[in-house]
Amino acid sequence: MKIKNTLTMLSAIIALAMTAMSAFSQNNGLTGAAPNAATGFSVFSAPQNLGATINSASKEQLPVLAPSGLSFYFVSERPGGLGGRDIYVSQRATLSSAWGAAQNMGSNLNTSSNDSISSISPDGLEMFMESDRPGGLGGSDIYLSRRIDPNDDSEWSTPVNIGGVLNNASNDYFGNYFVDPATGAGTLIFLSNRPGGQGFNDIYQSTRNANGTFNPPSPVNELNSAANEQRASISHDGLEIFFSSNRLGPATIFAIFVSTRASTSSPWSPPVAVASLNTTGSDGQPALSHDGTVLYFASGRPGGSGDGDIYSAVRVSVNRSSTADFDGDGRTDVSVFRPSDGTWYVMQSGSNTFRAQQFGASGDKIVPGDYDGDGRTDFAVFRQTPQNGFWYILRSSDNVFQTVQWGLNTDKPVPGDYDGDGKTDIAVYRNGIWYIVQSSNGNPTYAYFGLGSDIPVAAANVQ
């Protein structure tokens, strides 16, 4: 197969190329730029208990992995602490080494009150934690501890209350600190039960100024509900967020949810329960590793060593969506397209809920795929006009309607991930030539492979 990155064709097919160029260039080709892909609602491995090195007969919770991957922090109520909940740390020499025995982090961080870790800044120099120790503004407050060496766990300074801009007379806790890799801007995402929220606990965010101070927080409405939201963990690129909520069932049962967004300035998509992580028990307090490959969380599921244990699950597939996985839980949804009125009917496996979406018309070919890379299948159709081919896509990440003119009315649509970036590429097959728009960079490419009478395999799922 010969692939070129221009649309200059051999003289033997120059006429065909000119026809293709004329059709492809109308309306400037792509009329809507594809968003940056979020990490996606990827499939996770079966959760594994972290074992006796971390867990005990007491309650362990709030896991945090240092950006280096060499320190693992968590909270425990085990005997021998300073009182209430204390912060512990386990260390390892290399990323492939076993975790060492957990150590209480001592009186620099812990008190006779309840003290918990929330997150470590991406540079490893700041620890965000919460405590109900005396001297706060009320309930639990968010505190900040610093160190100079990102690898020295003995250097953490005495925590300082982060102040009244964030904390108030209610409970403020579970601060997850995110630094936008593109702009360097910092944002603290945290929980609060302050008045004016949608539920018992809501998710808030506060942007950080250049001098290190924080701005008044605002609720993240697209993630909140009338239920009780709990600890959130945002990915390193800021495009994926995990949190726990009891919105699915009884007040005592929490489940882990995930949401994505197209960019750090875009709204979050509707949260989806991560079926592979949740049980009939309570599962929550998720914490994503810095590289996004491992999710740690607390669970009261059967088989643990105590009142609550810490588990880990490895991401099996990043930015890969199962066929017809409209809710992003890693499983194919039972679904049909009704050509008489262009309606898609989907039974979402993640929530067992029915969805009807009108998108398309009689005569359209359905070309579903994960065009925005959020791990969910997008509704999409290919429409053949008297001369050209048009792609109509409803992106699941931001519910934006995208129109793309690509191909001729006689072409076979062959959508697929040809550049391996986890997003479906728009492509057509014509007489042994593949015309592809690479989603990773927007560049058109073409490939000579096959005969005009051949059936392209990528078209097998196109109806």
Side-chain angles (χ1 to χ4, degrees), residues 61-81:
Q61 53 186 324
L62 294 166
V64 174
L65 184 69
S68 66
L70 301 181
S71 291
F72 185 80
Y73 310 93
F74 63 97
V75 173
S76 179
E77 301 174 4
R78 64 187 63 183

Side-chain angles (χ1 to χ4, degrees), residues 82-86 110-115 132-134:
L82 278 72
R85 294 189 296 269
D86 279 1
N110 297 315
T111 67
S112 59
S113 301
N114 291 305
D115 306 288
D132 59 2
R133 65 186 63 184

Side-chain angles (χ1 to χ4, degrees), residues 164-251:
V165 174
L166 291 184
N167 295 317
N168 65 13
S170 303
N171 289 312
D172 304 285
Y173 43 13
F174 297 166
N176 187 249
Y177 189 57
F178 163 68
V179 176
D180 191 328
T183 65
T187 301
L188 188 70
I189 299 172
F190 67 100
L191 269 291
S192 181
N193 65 347
R194 62 188 62 196
Q198 295 185 43
F200 180 77
N201 271 317
D202 279 357
I203 300 173
Y204 289 80
Q205 64 180 9
S206 170
T207 55
R208 197 175 196 179
N209 301 309
N211 62 2
T213 61
F214 286 90
N215 296 307
S218 59
V220 187
N221 290 323
E222 57 265 39
L223 299 181
N224 294 320
S225 71
N228 186 358
E229 270 59 74
Q230 287 291 337
R231 193 243 198 124
S233 178
I234 190 169
S235 62
H236 176 65
D237 61 8
L239 304 182
E240 182 182 43
I241 191 168
F242 292 86
F243 67 96
S244 50
S245 174
N246 64 350
R247 65 184 66 182
L248 292 182

Side-chain angles (χ1 to χ4, degrees), residues 277-291:
L277 301 180
N278 297 318
T279 64
T280 55
S282 193
D283 305 283
Q285 303 175 356
L288 194 63
S289 64
H290 187 71
D291 63 3

Side-chain angles (χ1 to χ4, degrees), residues 99-133:
W99 290 111
Q103 303 293 325
N104 189 295
M105 296 203 70
S107 58
N108 263 9
L109 297 180
N110 297 315
T111 67
S112 59
S113 301
N114 291 305
D115 306 288
S116 302
I117 184 171
S118 300
S119 66
I120 303 293
S121 61
D123 61 9
L125 300 179
E126 293 183 318
M127 176 190 293
F128 292 85
M129 55 176 289
E130 63 270 356
S131 178
D132 59 2
R133 65 186 63 184

